[in-house]
Amino acid sequence: MASSWNGYRASKTALGGLQNGYATPRAKQAWAPGDVVNVGFVKGLEVVERVGGDYRLWNPANGKKYVFTPHMGLSAGWES
C-alpha cells in the first residue's frame, strides 16, 4: 500500500509544501568578522570587516582578497 504523504514536492492542489506543514529549511550564514562564509561557488571565505554596505573577505587557503556587495556580487581585491 502506498503512503499518503507526498512531501514538499507535491503540488499545491495535492496539499504539498506549506499546506502540509513542511517548509524547506533555508541556509543561513553569519556575516560577522571572523566568520567563514560561502559566496556562490567560492567556499571558505573569512569575513574580515564590513565597510558601508560591502564586506571584505579573504580566502585563507590562497590569500586572495574579495569584496562582496549584497545583490551585486563578488569582486576581486580591496585596498587597505
Side-chain angles (χ1 to χ4, degrees), residues 5-36:
W5 185 79
N6 291 323
Y8 69 94
R9 293 186 184 268
S11 68
K12 189 172 184 177
T13 56
L15 297 178
L18 292 175
Q19 283 73 30
N20 65 15
Y22 182 85
T24 305
R26 298 188 183 242
K28 298 200 188 261
Q29 300 185 91
W31 286 81
D35 289 332
V36 176

Side-chain angles (χ1 to χ4, degrees), residues 2-4 13 18 27 33 41 57-58 67 69 74 76:
S3 174
S4 62
T13 56
L18 292 175
F41 61 86
L57 312 170
W58 81 287
V67 174
T69 306
L74 189 67

Side-chain angles (χ1 to χ4, degrees), residues 45-68:
L45 299 176
E46 184 177 331
V47 178
V48 176
E49 64 182 340
R50 183 172 183 177
V51 179
D54 299 340
Y55 292 92
R56 290 184 175 178
L57 312 170
W58 81 287
N59 188 342
N62 59 18
K64 290 186 180 179
K65 299 176 181 179
Y66 299 95
V67 174
F68 176 72

